[in-house]
Amino acid sequence: MPLIMNGRVVEDSWTRIDDEAALPTEGAVIVSYDRWEKDKASLLAADLDLGVWLNSDQSPELLDGDIDSLKLVALNFPSFADGRAFTYGRMLRERYEFEGQVRAMGGFILDQIEMLRRCGFDAFETEKPEVVRGVNRNASANVTVYYQPGQDEQDETASSLRRRLLDSHKELGYRNA
């Protein structure tokens, strides 16, 4: 399945393991939350890079206490209309200060990738050829102003509200505006 990182399709170094499948002896694996809960001790004892995928009804709060053991958290979008994973991405980055890969997988659409990135996602796994084609055309390069603040917000990527605030502070002569 194509994986998009840094605006281009890349080879996926992670292997998704079914709940009943044997674990490899090395490499990077993604397991379901159910398998994580069932086999946590053996997974942690294995010489593997570990990732867990959460379905849209499974909050990252379920991983509280375990997050430092993971290098990847994949958040599933059963449909582009199910936006819970947007919140979960921000939660992972802001509340849990997760520095590993946050991956979107499933039913998201091309128009959502830029906002997903601003919510903390850095990898996008998709079966949709139109998403891959759009990324190859660099569709998100046309986005220059955002309405919502992002977890990655800096002055050069500030939301429209933040830009207006910065401009008004400069006009008033405030320092550090």
Side-chain angles (χ1 to χ4, degrees), residues 61-135:
E61 292 172 336
L62 295 169
L63 299 172
D64 195 15
D66 295 332
I67 202 85
D68 292 337
S69 303
L70 303 173
K71 295 197 178 199
L72 177 148
V73 176
L75 300 170
N76 186 36
F77 285 79
S79 153
F80 75 91
D82 187 340
R84 291 176 280 186
F86 284 92
T87 302
Y88 297 160
R90 284 190 80 144
M91 185 184 294
L92 284 165
R93 295 296 190 203
E94 294 174 2
R95 182 184 302 171
Y96 296 106
E97 298 178 353
F98 183 64
E99 294 182 7
Q101 185 183 113
V102 177
R103 179 182 293 203
M105 57 187 226
F108 62 90
I109 59 176
L110 178 63
D111 292 351
Q112 293 173 316
I113 286 181
E114 188 61 19
M115 190 59 199
L116 285 165
R117 189 190 61 73
R118 290 178 54 78
C119 288
F121 290 81
D122 50 11
F124 309 91
E125 181 182 316
T126 183
E127 291 181 351
K128 296 180 176 185
E130 66 273 16
V131 173
V132 174
R133 280 193 307 273
V135 168

Side-chain angles (χ1 to χ4, degrees), residues 11-108:
E11 187 168 332
D12 193 352
S13 62
W14 290 83
T15 303
R16 197 173 326 164
I17 305 294
D18 291 331
D19 285 349
E20 302 306 319
L23 290 174
T25 57
E26 59 183 27
V29 299
I30 306 171
V31 298
S32 70
Y33 175 74
D34 293 337
R35 178 138 190 203
W36 173 254
E37 277 300 296
K38 183 178 123 200
D39 297 334
K40 189 185 308 186
S42 61
L43 287 164
L44 290 170
D47 187 27
L48 299 168
D49 288 335
L50 298 172
V52 171
W53 88 72
L54 299 173
N55 289 315
S56 62
D57 62 343
Q58 296 173 314
S59 168
E61 292 172 336
L62 295 169
L63 299 172
D64 195 15
D66 295 332
I67 202 85
D68 292 337
S69 303
L70 303 173
K71 295 197 178 199
L72 177 148
V73 176
L75 300 170
N76 186 36
F77 285 79
S79 153
F80 75 91
D82 187 340
R84 291 176 280 186
F86 284 92
T87 302
Y88 297 160
R90 284 190 80 144
M91 185 184 294
L92 284 165
R93 295 296 190 203
E94 294 174 2
R95 182 184 302 171
Y96 296 106
E97 298 178 353
F98 183 64
E99 294 182 7
Q101 185 183 113
V102 177
R103 179 182 293 203
M105 57 187 226
F108 62 90

